[in-house]
């Protein structure tokens, strides 16, 4: 069966479509309410869909993911508080437009370009997954280790201002992943005598704590107020006018997909990059950037939604998640006994088609919900936090318990909630912790396998690093680490400034 | 705090000036300045944890009942992690040092204050979370959730009794029906 046939078979499956719709509706609300994030909703869903079939779970998760990333723009435009980190850039022009009474126009631009971005990313994923898999089949244990290290170094450099803090977050994640029975020797490791830790740190309660309960604590501790919702008018915006930005949006989609495919980077980075590119290439914006330019919304929304398809590429072909949400989706696979990686497309083609079809069907729901429901959602966005947060905390408890039916997991969720809160408070991002937690076990086993394979070779160093793929990955990883060292960064910035001064002088 | 002999001895090196006490105060304030920096504080914690993990890994390796070669040992990777942690702690310390030095150079410029935190409320929320988990064990999910929601909503500032009652009673029942009955998810 070809990819197209496989994907299309889901388009006529009413149950699959219904589950995508349910996920899309959930994503619309979760993404648009500040304080609830897509990562949190996906983490909760993983535990709830534990007993479902894989395809049912994937349909719902894709619905939440695709529409949730888009709906962050709703609160960004209407109340100037991004519903998701990837919508931060949308606030720059979306809210000024809403203040001028043009929120309907802003929402329409955001919806249509989120749709274009999502479809673009998913189509690229469908086209590139096969060729990348062919390359991935040649990967050896050391390559996997280096690729994961490269991902962690990238996420460390992109998610926080301080590279060292990003790396510390990643180390915390890896450390937590090492707890439990060792996969090679089979002895308990780093369990400190706690029986319940022998099975390791369960990923789902940890993620629910890091993204759900930590968010509750953060919002409560800072006493963030409920935003005032802008009124929505009903001005007529012609589709032809909106699509004038189509070709520019293709450029932003390429940026979004590439950034998404980079292990560790995600929507916020893609949106920032595209926005700065938009400022460079759009010579005559409808209004100055930052004062309500629709071109800014186009750049941000098309790029952050194109990230979805991009982020799924390394997750499916290499088992290296592109961002926090795909790290959580990866755990859906593990829970259902599937192993993403180079052989995934061959052995589990059906799940691949389900992801692609789920994504594309959700794009259609994105368009429908965005145009019809989003303008009427303002009352839900303004649900008071004092009523919303306690319910979220209860959902976190349900989510943590549902996976293994252990109260110990609920305790772990509380622990991770406090840990996530403290990390955020000190300026650390929790995204590298997530990636470290998901990738740590794989890094450990591949590293030891690579060393033991090399130890039997005549020249161990050549055996470990002598292959072209390994050398490329090694150079990339070293370059990422070295160029992000603060002293090196300052030196380069100083040289650049000196060059500019020389040119000006 | 006593003045170190080394500093006191230099008192005569520059007659007529009161450098020693001033110098000491300067050193003390410099140390204080460093310790106040968040990156420096974190680097100390990272260093301590890195060393602890390293020592733990070495001890566990040598005291293991079944001895394996280092390359196959479960403690090889934790040891590597500990080494990384120490290196990153150093890097973070240098970042902190740079921040302190550049803050001195930009003296007078107002530092961006961190967002204020309501610690009492935060501790109450964590305490309520723990109490909720304990309660679930004794009185099961729905009654425990009713009490938890009522307490949390009150704590977060809602004072309308009907609203508190409606949500704290209605929501657990709704969640029970949705998860336990419709979605077949086991509740605690």
């Amino acid at each position: 069966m070809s990819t197209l046939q496989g994907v299309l078979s889901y388009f006529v499956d009413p149950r699959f479509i219904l589950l995508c719709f349910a996920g899309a509706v959930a994503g619309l609300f979760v993404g648009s309410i500040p304080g609830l994030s897509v990562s949190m909703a996906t983490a909760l869903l993983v535990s709830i869909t534990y007993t479902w079939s894989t395809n049912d779970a994937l349909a719902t998760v894709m619905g939440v993911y695709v529409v949730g990333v888009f709906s962050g723009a709703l609160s960004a435009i209407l109340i100037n508080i991004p519903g998701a980190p990837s919508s931060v850039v949308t606030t720059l022009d979306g809210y000024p437009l809403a203040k001028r009474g043009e929120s309907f126009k802003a929402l329409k631009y955001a919806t249509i370009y989120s749709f274009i971005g999502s479809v673009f990313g998913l189509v690229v994923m469908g086209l590139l997954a096969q060729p990348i898999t062919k390359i991935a089949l040649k990967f050896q244990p050391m390559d996997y280790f280096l690729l994961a290290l490269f991902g962690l170094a990238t996420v460390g450099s992109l998610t926080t201002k301080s590279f060292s803090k990003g790396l510390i977050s990643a180390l915390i994640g890896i450390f937590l992943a090492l707890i439990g029975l060792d996969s090679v020797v089979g002895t308990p490791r780093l369990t400190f005598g706690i029986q319940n830790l022998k099975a390791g740190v369960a990923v789902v309660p940890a993620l629910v704590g890091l993204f759900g309960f930590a968010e509750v604590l953060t919002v409560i501790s800072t006493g963030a107020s409920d935003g005032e919702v802008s009124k929505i008018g009903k001005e007529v915006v012609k589709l032809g006018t909106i699509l004038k930005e189509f070709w520019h949006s293709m450029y932003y989609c390429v940026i979004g997909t590439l950034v998404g495919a980079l292990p560790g980077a995600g929507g916020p980075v893609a949106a920032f990059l595209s926005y700065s590119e938009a400022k460079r290439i759009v010579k005559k914006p409808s209004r100055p950037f930052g004062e309500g330019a629709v071109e800014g919304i186009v750049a941000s929304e098309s790029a952050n939604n194109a990230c979805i398809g991009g982020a799924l590429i390394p997750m499916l072909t290499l088992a290296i998640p592109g961002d926090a949400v795909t790290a959580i989706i990866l755990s859906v696979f593990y829970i259902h006994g599937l192993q993403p990686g180079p052989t995934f497309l061959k052995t589990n083609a059906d799940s691949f088609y389900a992801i692609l079809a789920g994504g594309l069907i959700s794009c259609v729901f994105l368009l429908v919900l965005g145009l019809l429901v989003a303008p009427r959602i303002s009352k839900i966005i303004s649900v008071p936090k004092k009523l919303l947060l306690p319910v979220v905390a209860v959902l976190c408890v349900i989510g943590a318990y549902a996976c293994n039916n252990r109260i110990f997991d609920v305790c772990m969720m509380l622990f991770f909630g406090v840990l996530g809160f403290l990390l955020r408070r000190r300026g650390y991002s929790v995204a590298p912790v997530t990636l470290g937690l998901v990738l740590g076990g794989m890094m450990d086993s591949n590293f030891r396998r690579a060393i033991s394979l090399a130890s039997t070779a005549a020249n161990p160093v050549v055996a470990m690093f002598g292959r072209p793929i390994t050398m490329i990955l090694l150079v990339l990883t070293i370059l990422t680490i070295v160029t992000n060292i603060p002293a090196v960064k300052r030196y380069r910035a100083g040289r650049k400034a000196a060059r500019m001064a020389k040119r000006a002088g | 705090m006593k003045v170190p002999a080394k500093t006191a001895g230099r008192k005569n090196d520059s007659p007529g000036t009161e450098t020693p006490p001033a110098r000491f105060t300067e050193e003390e304030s410099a140390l204080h300045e460093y310790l106040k920096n968040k990156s420096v504080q974190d680097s100390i914690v990272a260093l301590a944890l890195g060393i602890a993990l390293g020592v733990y890994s070495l001890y566990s390796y040598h005291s293991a009942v079944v001895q394996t070669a280092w390359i196959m040992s479960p403690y090889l990777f934790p040891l590597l992690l500990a080494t990384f942690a120490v290196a990153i702690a150093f890097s973070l310390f240098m970042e902190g040092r740079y921040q302190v030095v550049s803050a001195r150079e930009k003296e007078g410029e107002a530092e961006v204050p961190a967002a204020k935190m309501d610690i009492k409320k935060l501790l109450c929320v964590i305490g309520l979370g723990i109490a909720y988990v304990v309660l679930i064990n004794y009185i099961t999910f729905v009654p425990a959730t009713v009490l938890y929601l009522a307490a949390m909503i009150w704590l977060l500032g809602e004072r309308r009794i009907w609203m508190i009652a409606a949500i704290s009673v209605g929501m657990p029942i709704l969640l029970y029906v949705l998860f336990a009955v419709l979605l077949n998810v086991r509740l605690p």
Side-chain angles (χ1 to χ4, degrees), chain B residues 24 58 78 94 101 117 132 144 149-150 157:
Chain B
F24 173 73
L58 286 170
M94 294 310 284
V101 172
M117 188 166 68
Y132 177 42
L149 281 178

PDB file of all heavy atoms in Angstrom, chain B residues 24 58 78 94 101 117 132 144 149-150 157:
ATOM      1  N   PHE B  24      39.476  44.383  53.521  1.00  0.00           N
ATOM      2  CA  PHE B  24      38.757  43.210  54.016  1.00  0.00           C
ATOM      3  C   PHE B  24      37.263  43.339  53.692  1.00  0.00           C
ATOM      4  O   PHE B  24      36.644  42.423  53.189  1.00  0.00           O
ATOM      5  CB  PHE B  24      38.979  43.098  55.526  1.00  0.00           C
ATOM      6  CG  PHE B  24      38.131  42.027  56.136  1.00  0.00           C
ATOM      7  CD1 PHE B  24      38.436  40.699  55.925  1.00  0.00           C
ATOM      8  CD2 PHE B  24      36.996  42.341  56.874  1.00  0.00           C
ATOM      9  CE1 PHE B  24      37.640  39.708  56.449  1.00  0.00           C
ATOM     10  CE2 PHE B  24      36.212  41.356  57.399  1.00  0.00           C
ATOM     11  CZ  PHE B  24      36.539  40.042  57.196  1.00  0.00           C
ATOM     12  N   LEU B  58      31.282   5.745  41.879  1.00  0.00           N
ATOM     13  CA  LEU B  58      32.521   5.007  42.142  1.00  0.00           C
ATOM     14  C   LEU B  58      32.322   4.005  43.277  1.00  0.00           C
ATOM     15  O   LEU B  58      32.747   2.852  43.189  1.00  0.00           O
ATOM     16  CB  LEU B  58      33.648   5.992  42.497  1.00  0.00           C
ATOM     17  CG  LEU B  58      34.218   6.798  41.325  1.00  0.00           C
ATOM     18  CD1 LEU B  58      35.145   7.891  41.825  1.00  0.00           C
ATOM     19  CD2 LEU B  58      34.961   5.879  40.357  1.00  0.00           C
ATOM     20  N   PRO B  78      26.492   7.222  34.699  1.00  0.00           N
ATOM     21  CA  PRO B  78      26.360   8.205  35.787  1.00  0.00           C
ATOM     22  C   PRO B  78      27.667   8.928  36.091  1.00  0.00           C
ATOM     23  O   PRO B  78      27.670  10.127  36.387  1.00  0.00           O
ATOM     24  CB  PRO B  78      25.915   7.359  36.976  1.00  0.00           C
ATOM     25  CG  PRO B  78      25.180   6.227  36.368  1.00  0.00           C
ATOM     26  CD  PRO B  78      25.917   5.929  35.090  1.00  0.00           C
ATOM     27  N   MET B  94      31.417  30.713  35.815  1.00  0.00           N
ATOM     28  CA  MET B  94      32.048  31.758  35.005  1.00  0.00           C
ATOM     29  C   MET B  94      30.992  32.738  34.474  1.00  0.00           C
ATOM     30  O   MET B  94      31.240  33.938  34.379  1.00  0.00           O
ATOM     31  CB  MET B  94      32.834  31.145  33.829  1.00  0.00           C
ATOM     32  CG  MET B  94      34.030  30.321  34.254  1.00  0.00           C
ATOM     33  SD  MET B  94      35.115  31.156  35.416  1.00  0.00           S
ATOM     34  CE  MET B  94      35.955  32.293  34.319  1.00  0.00           C
ATOM     35  N   VAL B 101      30.722  40.993  37.328  1.00  0.00           N
ATOM     36  CA  VAL B 101      31.681  42.001  36.850  1.00  0.00           C
ATOM     37  C   VAL B 101      30.970  43.030  35.967  1.00  0.00           C
ATOM     38  O   VAL B 101      31.153  44.243  36.141  1.00  0.00           O
ATOM     39  CB  VAL B 101      32.833  41.306  36.070  1.00  0.00           C
ATOM     40  CG1 VAL B 101      33.728  42.333  35.391  1.00  0.00           C
ATOM     41  CG2 VAL B 101      33.648  40.441  37.010  1.00  0.00           C
ATOM     42  N   MET B 117       6.833  36.574  44.596  1.00  0.00           N
ATOM     43  CA  MET B 117       6.262  35.244  44.757  1.00  0.00           C
ATOM     44  C   MET B 117       5.499  35.199  46.074  1.00  0.00           C
ATOM     45  O   MET B 117       6.001  35.649  47.098  1.00  0.00           O
ATOM     46  CB  MET B 117       7.404  34.225  44.743  1.00  0.00           C
ATOM     47  CG  MET B 117       6.930  32.814  44.717  1.00  0.00           C
ATOM     48  SD  MET B 117       8.226  31.665  44.299  1.00  0.00           S
ATOM     49  CE  MET B 117       9.280  31.754  45.702  1.00  0.00           C
ATOM     50  N   TYR B 132      -4.325  16.012  49.820  1.00  0.00           N
ATOM     51  CA  TYR B 132      -5.289  15.424  48.869  1.00  0.00           C
ATOM     52  C   TYR B 132      -4.909  13.977  48.545  1.00  0.00           C
ATOM     53  O   TYR B 132      -5.742  13.068  48.588  1.00  0.00           O
ATOM     54  CB  TYR B 132      -5.295  16.293  47.617  1.00  0.00           C
ATOM     55  CG  TYR B 132      -6.177  15.830  46.481  1.00  0.00           C
ATOM     56  CD1 TYR B 132      -7.455  15.337  46.699  1.00  0.00           C
ATOM     57  CD2 TYR B 132      -5.730  15.926  45.155  1.00  0.00           C
ATOM     58  CE1 TYR B 132      -8.263  14.938  45.638  1.00  0.00           C
ATOM     59  CE2 TYR B 132      -6.524  15.544  44.099  1.00  0.00           C
ATOM     60  CZ  TYR B 132      -7.790  15.028  44.347  1.00  0.00           C
ATOM     61  OH  TYR B 132      -8.577  14.644  43.300  1.00  0.00           O
ATOM     62  N   ALA B 144     -12.710  13.015  48.419  1.00  0.00           N
ATOM     63  CA  ALA B 144     -11.440  13.737  48.612  1.00  0.00           C
ATOM     64  C   ALA B 144     -11.364  14.923  47.655  1.00  0.00           C
ATOM     65  O   ALA B 144     -10.891  16.006  48.023  1.00  0.00           O
ATOM     66  CB  ALA B 144     -10.264  12.789  48.376  1.00  0.00           C
ATOM     67  N   LEU B 149     -11.068  20.534  46.165  1.00  0.00           N
ATOM     68  CA  LEU B 149     -11.474  21.648  45.297  1.00  0.00           C
ATOM     69  C   LEU B 149     -12.016  22.815  46.126  1.00  0.00           C
ATOM     70  O   LEU B 149     -11.684  23.978  45.867  1.00  0.00           O
ATOM     71  CB  LEU B 149     -12.531  21.178  44.297  1.00  0.00           C
ATOM     72  CG  LEU B 149     -12.016  20.408  43.081  1.00  0.00           C
ATOM     73  CD1 LEU B 149     -13.171  19.965  42.201  1.00  0.00           C
ATOM     74  CD2 LEU B 149     -11.063  21.258  42.249  1.00  0.00           C
ATOM     75  N   ALA B 150     -12.835  22.489  47.136  1.00  0.00           N
ATOM     76  CA  ALA B 150     -13.396  23.561  47.971  1.00  0.00           C
ATOM     77  C   ALA B 150     -12.269  24.342  48.645  1.00  0.00           C
ATOM     78  O   ALA B 150     -12.261  25.587  48.621  1.00  0.00           O
ATOM     79  CB  ALA B 150     -14.333  22.955  49.013  1.00  0.00           C
ATOM     80  N   GLY B 157      -9.011  32.597  46.439  1.00  0.00           N
ATOM     81  CA  GLY B 157      -9.679  33.893  46.557  1.00  0.00           C
ATOM     82  C   GLY B 157     -11.159  33.931  46.223  1.00  0.00           C
ATOM     83  O   GLY B 157     -11.777  34.989  46.312  1.00  0.00           O
TER      84      GLY B 157
END
